[in-house]
Amino acid sequence: MKFSTFHLFQTPPGVPDDQIILQEVELMKYVEDLGFDAVWVGEHHFRGEGVAASVPVLLSAVAGATKRIRVGPAVSCLPLTDPLRNAEDYATLDVISGGRLNFGVGLGNRAGESLVWGIPFTEMRERFN
């Protein structure tokens, strides 16, 4: 059996985003010390659920500061990204991490996030497929 932690980068009122990001990165480093097998980061944009918009960048920081723990997006919202750019970003992360990438994909579940990108939520499934 393997154990992981899931991170949303939730933002309590009055706490600056940069503080949350740095705290979560430190927490994920500590998770390795505790013996967990992996960390997963939920991709969300424009606050609300959290401030983890650039998941490959965040996970690269974690991978560079750890030795063993696996890292992964939970999930990479495919309809919101260019597929080639997404593939390049995560392939680079896999190299940086020494092959420790777990890769989870999904279509997203927040209409407010897709609309900011100019994508009607009703198109998300088709874009994902």
Side-chain angles (χ1 to χ4, degrees):
M1 185 177 303
K2 299 192 184 257
F3 292 92
S4 305
T5 59
F6 175 61
H7 303 260
L8 273 177
F9 289 61
Q10 293 177 316
T11 52
V15 179
D17 292 353
D18 59 339
Q19 183 178 335
I20 297 298
I21 291 169
L22 296 173
Q23 285 176 346
E24 287 290 333
V25 169
E26 287 301 312
L27 179 59
M28 286 186 272
K29 289 165 38 181
Y30 184 56
V31 163
E32 179 177 66
D33 295 339
L34 293 174
F36 283 83
D37 299 294
V39 294
W40 294 90
V41 173
E43 177 184 331
H44 284 287
H45 303 270
F46 316 110
R47 291 190 70 113
E49 282 295 319
V51 292
S54 185
V55 176
V57 172
L58 291 164
L59 292 176
S60 290
V62 174
T66 57
K67 302 271 188 253
R68 177 194 54 78
I69 201 161
R70 297 186 64 81
V71 297
V75 298
S76 176
C77 297
L78 296 184
L80 300 181
T81 60
D82 176 272
L84 293 176
R85 171 95 267 168
N86 204 37
E88 287 179 328
D89 288 347
Y90 282 104
T92 302
L93 170 56
D94 193 45
V95 170
I96 288 169
S97 71
R100 293 183 284 143
L101 174 66
N102 291 334
F103 189 59
V105 299
L107 64 94
N109 62 358
R110 301 284 189 267
E113 293 180 358
S114 68
L115 292 174
V116 172
W117 295 107
I119 301 168
F121 193 68
T122 55
E123 292 180 17
M124 295 291 278
R125 168 107 18 229
E126 181 180 345
R127 286 172 171 263
F128 178 79
N129 292 338

